[in-house]
Amino acid sequence: MADPSASYLGKTLIEEISPVVMVLGTPLVEDSSRKNGLSFVDTLRPFSLFHDIDVPVRTASDQPYRLHKFKLRLHYASEIHQPDVEASEEHLKNVVTRASDVDTSDLRSDPPQIDSLLEAAESESLPSWFQIFNKELIHIASFSEHEAFDHPVACLLVVSSKDEQPINKFVELFDTNQLPSLLSDSIMDPKILKHYLLLHDNQDGALETDIKMLTEMRSTFGSNECRLLTINSAEDGSTDWQDNPWIPHKIDASISQDLGCLLNMDDINEMKNFMQDLASKHIIPHMEQKIRVLNQQVSATRKGFRNQIKNLWWRKGKEDAPETSSGQMYAFNSIESQMRVLGDYAFMLRDYELALSNYRLLSTDYKLDKAWKRYAGVQEMMGLAFFMLDQSKKDVEYCMENALSTYLKLGSSGQRNVTRCGLWWTEILKARDQYKEAAGVYFRISNEEPSLQAAVMLEQASYCYLLSKPPMLRKYGFHLVLAGNRYYISEQRKHAIRAYRSATSVYKGNAWSFINDHVHYHIGKWYSFIEIFDVALQHLLEVVACSHQSVATQELFLKDFLQTVQKLGKAFEVFSMQLPVINIPSLKVLFEDQRTYGSVGAVNIKESLWKCLEEDMIPLLPAARTNWLESQPKLSKNLKDSNICVAGEPIRVEIEFRNPLKIPISVSGASLICQLSAEPESVESAVVNQADNNVDGNSSATVFQNDSELIKLKRSWEQDAGSSFVLSEVDFSLGGSETTVIQFVVTPKVEGILNIVGVRWKLSDSVIGYHSFDTTVLKKKTVKGRRRGGQYAKSPLKFTVIKSLPKLECCIHHLPSKAYAGELHRLVLELKNRSKFPIKNMKMKISDPRFLNAGSLDDMKIEFPICLEKRINSKESIVQPNDVEGSNGLLFSFPEDCVIEGETTFTWPLWLHTSTTGRISLYMSIYYEMENSSNDIRYRTLRTQYDLEVLPSLDMSVHVAPCPSRLQEFLVRMDVTNRSSSESFLLHQFSSVGHNWEISSLPPDGAVHPSQMLTAGQALSCFFKLKKCNDLASEGMPSSTTLHGSDVRLGPHDSEKALFDISRAPLANFHSYERLDQGKSIQGSSNVDFILISQLKQNASAASDPPRLFSHHSCHHRQESKSLIHLLVVGYNGVQETFSHEGCIIVLPIVLRNMHDACVIVVIDQAASQVDVRGTALPSNGNVWNPVKNPREITQGTDGHSDICISFSPPYTQTLTNAIWGSSTPGHLQLEDNSMTRSGSRTTTLTPNTYKASRRVIAWFYHPSHGNWKRPNLARKARFVTINNLN
Amino acid sequence: MIVCVSVVGHQNNPLYLQSFTEEDDALKLHHVVHCSLDVIDERVNNPKKTGSTLNETFLGLLYPTENYKVYGYLTNTKVKFILVTTDVDVRDADMRNFFRRFHSAYVDAVSNPFHVPGKKITSRSFAERVSTIVKSFGLGGAV
Amino acid sequence: MGREVSESCVDNLIIEMVSAYCNRFYESKPDLAARRIEAIGYQVGLQLSERYTMERPRFTDHLEAIKFICKDFWSEVFKKQIDNLKTNHRGTFVLQDNRFRWLTRMSVDTNQTNTDSSLDTAENKETQSASMHLYFPCGIIRGALTSLGIPCAVSADMSNLPACSFVVRIKG
């Protein structure tokens, strides 16, 4: 380690532990020196410090050495006593306050960064007032009687030359009863070195008298103890000092008049010389002398083994002496006091060895005497001596620890010494770079101190932690916080803030949010105390949005924040305030360009759904669009990078607000911030863009960044007053940690480029928060309403406002929200055109034509449901069922001639048929073009969406079976169940669809289900006869396009209720869609569809309103049957025949019907027909007839002949001779599926009789698809043929 | 009694801090724990310690504040456990035992697949387990 | 101590995870799948190392940590130790396992249909799928070392199944 005396502590010790000179002066002395604005002592003080006095000294053991730096401490006798506590406290307080005024000038600047602090610490640029403060603190403990280095070594008596009889004055000046207590009550040796000074004020005439007086003095007091000093020899106030020697010594720098104005160079030099002589010629030799004397005594009485023993024994002897820590028991002539004086003098003359040896002896004595205070004082001095001798750390620490703890034990009496001792110690440790330990000591003594001193101690401790290697930042911060608290307690707010601010740099950005919040919160509060509100708010903002704190804390923070804002007086504006938190990714922009939305529901539908709905309705798809963009180059540019919106039409922005706190907050006047610039390349937009880039650039928004952002937002907010657009203001309040989506509306009024820059809101009416939309976030996500034109670059918040366009609004009248399945409604679509301009060729696309269908205008003429009823003059209904192929919805184009003029409304009928149950949402998009084809939007679409819930009502199932007796007739069973919960229905009519079918009730004249009622849950089956009218008739007209069918009235015959015409538009259309929906192909006339029409039974109350009509469709029924082929042999009951010529010829028609839907080849077999009904086997002469051919051969087209053999057998005869055969039909005949054919068989007979003609048909049926033959399937029919003879 | 236990992540970020006193001294405890990190750094980084204590997980008494004693434990994964107690004399064995059990509790907590590494430990079962460990402290409670 | 699950369950789980990420989630982009699998392994490694380093003094240098991985960690996870550890003393370690457990179940299709093209395609398909299975252990190693305060990058290569070696490159 370097030379200890070079260290800071060394210097201070040399200054602080130095001989005291007691000054006694007459009032006149003071007067003359006051002329310079200085007391006499102050006048001399600058010259009491000698940088190189260079005095030769000899130690007690005669080693010569030279003193260089030396100091005398001048004090008035009146000052030489223990300073009283209050005064010193006050004094310290002033020091600190002054420091705070000096030191906290930069309260508005940013808090220091940690690294800057570190290097500041390296360069020792700690607050300089610490040293002053410490000095003052040390001075408090001065002039205690238990240590001798504060005891005056010499006494300087000063008398002005104007005093009369100065000799007497000198004498009475040193009058014992006004001497300080130290001398008076014999704590120190009253025989003290005296020095007599005669002060001459040059302004009071010449020197002669003074010279005389001096000689007189010399004669009385001895020659070399007397001296004459001349001052004020300068002409009035002429001299002013470049570097005034007195300034540094005036701590309370209240320079009323310029100091030492009357002193000129000669005076200065004289004073210098005087002091020099005083020190070197008198005081030092005196001390040296005294050291020698005392040393001899001490060594005589105490050194050596004998003395030690004696001393010990003697002390044992006075064990029972009164136990006291005060020094009365040690008079100045007691050996202990002398040793102490010896030690202190030696110390002051830098003879540390000597001092140390004496201290050692003393400490043991004091310890034995339990004179703790003195013991501690000696230990303290030992420690210092060790330090100055650069002894081992251990000794120093031991001694200081001893001293400190002993002082501590003493309690209040030792308190000041604790502080001083502690300060010494810390200085020692610092000098040895043991900063951590120093901090510890600081901390210890801080506990003993009133809050102010404690604060300063703690702060010094914190700096020690900062300086320790490696720096212990956390402790640094912690102690700063402690210090800050103490400062605050002792009303040193600025200091408190300073401490906390330096602490923030430690806690900045780490996760210790509790501490961070606490620090910021208090800084904020204290700033607001000293009324620097803006900074206060900066800090409060840090904590106001803390989500992790407890509810109470959050409330407290918020309350103080708001109070501060109110104190601020003006509106406080924050950029990107976190209260509430804005969830930018949740931002949704809803606007209308070509696409306008009729309902909220419609907005939220996926764009793709609309696209595929509209695809064959909209002429211009993106490809086409680029074309017409090219046609308008001037627009193409900014259309690419922005969305189009229409002046006068609102743009909706939805943002999610989240309340981070657990307590409710209220937000008012929230609205968007927008910029509307006339021409595309305007300044604002440019600014915005580049600002956006900034935001993109560094997400870590610095303060400056924020400010610039804030400025920009504010400007754009203020400038929008220019009513180029209208903003909506929203007030809402968020509960604890609640999240809501707020919708903002901006409505541009003029054309131009609209930029939505950000959002602005008021937190509980005092704080205005700004938040700018960082567009990069949004570019990522696809925002609703954005054209998926592959233009990903464009920002969703930039709009090209074009001049206002007509916009249709649509509503559908009496659309039920709840309906029963199969219910049929007539709705009215009403289109409003609020604009001036007419709207032409409109088209409409409906998502699900099964449910919704466009009617025709004349549906409106008659009211529903009469319009559906059959009318006598039933002309062919106009409407052809629409082409049902367009599977994704129905495209309906309004007639060419219908144009919606400006400010008119337009109505069109729609038909609703709820075919299935459940929740159904219908999408409808209406396309229209503007009369004034504005340059960039020529058409628009209006998208609407409706939800309705369909409840179950009736469900109908139909079962068709062939009629056994008739080929062309079928039995139809209709099962209907009422599935509705409560309602009951009236069945009205049951219709079969199609020309070639005719349905009739069964029995023909019977009434089907006379009470039409079908109550809830009831099931019912009705039977009908379905007749197929001959195909030939239906060949004529194309069937199944127009649905002419036949109806059966359900219920009583005589009900005059008109039937409904199922061939009219809505029913027909819906039916065709039902067909489509119920699957299979529509071709195949043999499939039959049925429609059940019913009505809702109205209870008496609702009797007035029109009946609710239901139609249930069930399609594609075919008639099942067991057998494949129906064969019918038409027989005769009797044939009249005269057997005039050879036999009679009977033609037996056979009707064959193929029930199968594949081509069938039928072979009529005669071989199998040998069997008699009666079971009598016929002689097997069947082989006479050519046998049945192998069907394969048949198909291979060998002679395609087979005979039908009718075996006639007379009832009671076995002979067959009287029968002659002859018959021929095409042996195998091909039956198309579901077709019929007739073939005949002709036979002849000779004798009248009753014959049985039995037939067996073998059907080989053949699938063209897979060319193999299926197993034959037999059908047998028999008829009796009776042939009577006529004669 | 044990005043507070805390888990501090390897970036000296607080993962868990539970105070077991009635009065509201959360802030003070935060400070104490936070400062103790300084001591831990010092202990670990200054190789002047003897080899045995250098890389042992149990760091022993970190520092006594005016009315607390702070003990530390540093896992291999640079996670610090810090215990603040008011007991004047604590048996070292007890302390080790405590930290061992605490460590296993911590391991189970962070092994929970729903725990995000480096985030605060919010598991309730962990809290319960810790409180039982704390209660049984010094009673020579078995693991 | 902890509860135990049957080893086959773990094997199946891992196989399923790998196949799920490779063939279902990120079928088109295998590198992304690899990254995901590695990330899963990373977290597993973090937690395992947290557990397995209990009750043991802190590691003073990298080598100790690596040794821990090779010996205790590996035998905790795979019931065997790393067979061979090489280092270039400049922060690169090669951990070789001659019979890596998770590759033992992996069958090399020997009776390949013998046209060369199909053979080598099959070869590299198989190697590719196998390497997919190696991302998980890589992640585990990286996680374990990172949690021990050693940021590193881990890659694996298979000489011949079921032997494979992990290359640890310590960053900084």
Side-chain angles (χ1 to χ4, degrees), chain A residues 595-718:
Chain A
R595 301 142 302 174
T596 64
Y597 296 93
S599 63
V600 182
V603 176
N604 299 326
I605 307 302
K606 279 213 310 303
E607 175 72 8
S608 55
L609 193 150
W610 290 121
K611 279 251 171 292
C612 74
L613 180 61
E614 295 167 348
E615 65 192 348
D616 51 2
M617 177 169 69
I618 295 174
L620 309 164
L621 287 174
R625 176 174 291 121
T626 55
N627 296 346
W628 63 259
L629 272 177
E630 284 147 13
S631 69
Q632 281 89 11
K634 89 171 195 11
L635 266 164
S636 62
K637 199 200 129 302
N638 45 30
L639 285 190
K640 274 206 195 58
D641 64 352
S642 70
N643 313 303
I644 307 179
C645 69
V646 180
E649 294 182 8
I651 300 169
R652 291 184 172 72
V653 178
E654 284 183 0
I655 316 174
E656 197 176 276
F657 282 81
R658 184 170 56 81
N659 177 3
L661 301 183
K662 301 191 190 70
I663 52 178
I665 58 174
S666 81
V667 175
S668 62
S671 72
L672 294 171
I673 304 176
C674 300
Q675 294 171 326
L676 184 58
S677 51
E679 69 283 2
E681 295 316 310
S682 78
V683 185
E684 285 84 2
S685 58
V687 168
V688 171
N689 293 337
Q690 70 95 17
D692 286 347
N693 299 341
N694 291 356
V695 176
D696 308 352
N698 45 1
S699 55
S700 64
T702 67
V703 179
F704 164 73
Q705 168 84 45
N706 283 356
D707 291 350
S708 70
E709 281 292 322
L710 182 52
I711 303 286
K712 189 166 58 53
L713 286 176
K714 275 178 70 177
R715 203 187 59 219
S716 45
W717 169 254
E718 277 132 12

Side-chain angles (χ1 to χ4, degrees), chain A residues 163-208:
Chain A
D163 290 304
E164 54 276 5
Q165 317 147 319
I167 309 299
N168 310 356
K169 279 270 183 287
F170 277 121
V171 174
E172 65 203 39
L173 266 180
F174 194 79
D175 170 5
T176 45
N177 56 28
Q178 61 193 11
L179 285 178
S181 57
L182 286 175
L183 284 85
S184 52
D185 31 7
S186 73
I187 289 165
M188 60 176 287
D189 188 355
K191 296 197 304 299
I192 174 176
L193 170 67
K194 297 200 193 55
H195 198 77
Y196 304 89
L197 181 64
L198 182 62
L199 187 73
H200 172 70
D201 188 344
N202 247 354
Q203 290 178 330
D204 327 324
L207 274 171
E208 293 72 29

Side-chain angles (χ1 to χ4, degrees), chain A residues 436 474-475 478 512 518, chain B residues 12 27 34-35 38 41-42:
Chain A
K436 197 148 58 65
R474 303 187 182 84
K475 292 203 169 201
F478 179 43
W512 293 82
H518 165 264
Chain B
N12 290 334
L27 180 64
H34 189 236
C35 289
D38 265 334
D41 288 352
E42 196 189 18

